[in-house]
Amino acid sequence: MNTTEPRLIAATLAEGGLAALFTAPDGARAFAVRWQGGVYGYLNQCPHAGGPLDFEGQVLESSGRFLMCARHGAIFEPDTGKCVGGPCRGARLTPAAVHEKADGSVWAGATD
Ligand code: FES
């Protein structure tokens, strides 16, 4: 199997909904989330203590403005991955390449 070939993450990804969890081509855990119409992907690894951000796929905090780590509450800008509050303020999530096709499906990897 060609691991660089784009792989389907989700047929749809709802605005403000649960993240789609997936495995990046290098085997790292990652997630994709839709925020303000765009789709963003990051490794599911918090810069604070390295744990996964999500709780059962939930990565957006209740206001929908930020990603939030379920472990100790660090919050991140969804479009940049920058930590803007909490124990790792100023650090960044590591991007994971994702792209969306015209039908709304979300795929791992760079645009094909
Ligand atoms: S592991 Fe994410 S805030 Fe501590």
Side-chain angles (χ1 to χ4, degrees), residues 54-94:
D54 80 293
F55 178 74
E56 298 180 349
Q58 185 71 50
V59 293
L60 285 165
E61 46 79 48
S62 58
S63 77
R65 292 178 55 214
F66 299 104
L67 304 175
M68 186 173 77
C69 179
R71 305 301 171 253
H72 311 107
I75 56 173
F76 304 86
E77 294 174 339
D79 53 343
T80 68
K82 182 179 178 183
C83 180
V84 292
C88 50
R89 180 185 288 267
R92 287 182 185 271
L93 299 174
T94 302

Side-chain angles (χ1 to χ4, degrees), residues 91-106:
R92 287 182 185 271
L93 299 174
T94 302
V98 296
H99 66 281
E100 181 178 19
K101 293 192 176 182
D103 65 0
S105 60
V106 178

